[in-house]
């Protein structure tokens, strides 16, 4: 089981983790959104901001490592 708590300290953003069908949007400044899911496999999974948020939007991505 995985529990993610997504917040924003600057601007409105989102969080997409396609491998586990996670799609949170929008998350405003000071707001908190939570999603829970079961990871059916281990590995490194891509996530990214799914709300166009201005300059640097394309760089808002990372990997979630599931062991």
């Amino acid at each position: 089981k995985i529990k993610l708590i997504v917040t924003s300290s600057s601007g409105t953003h989102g969080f997409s983790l396609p491998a586990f069908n996670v799609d949170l949007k929008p998350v405003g400044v000071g707001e908190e959104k939570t999603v829970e899911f079961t990871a059916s496999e281990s590995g490194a999974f891509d996530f990214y901001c799914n709300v166009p948020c201005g300059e640097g939007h394309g760089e808002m991505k990372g990997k979630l490592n599931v062991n």
Side-chain angles (χ1 to χ4, degrees):
K1 276 237 178 236
I2 295 177
K3 178 179 182 179
L4 294 175
I5 301 169
V6 180
T7 64
S8 174
S9 60
S10 174
T12 299
H13 300 281
F15 181 87
S16 180
L17 180 63
F20 298 108
N21 296 316
V22 173
D23 188 48
L24 296 176
K25 59 184 175 185
V27 181
V29 175
E31 192 175 8
E32 180 176 287
K33 292 199 177 180
T34 302
V35 63
E36 295 185 49
F37 59 93
T38 300
S40 54
E41 58 185 293
S42 60
F45 302 94
D46 294 328
F47 66 84
Y48 60 91
C49 178
N50 58 356
V51 173
C53 55
E55 188 175 334
H57 172 72
E59 302 302 314
M60 295 184 175
K61 57 188 172 184
K63 294 211 181 275
L64 173 71
N65 294 311
V66 177
N67 298 317

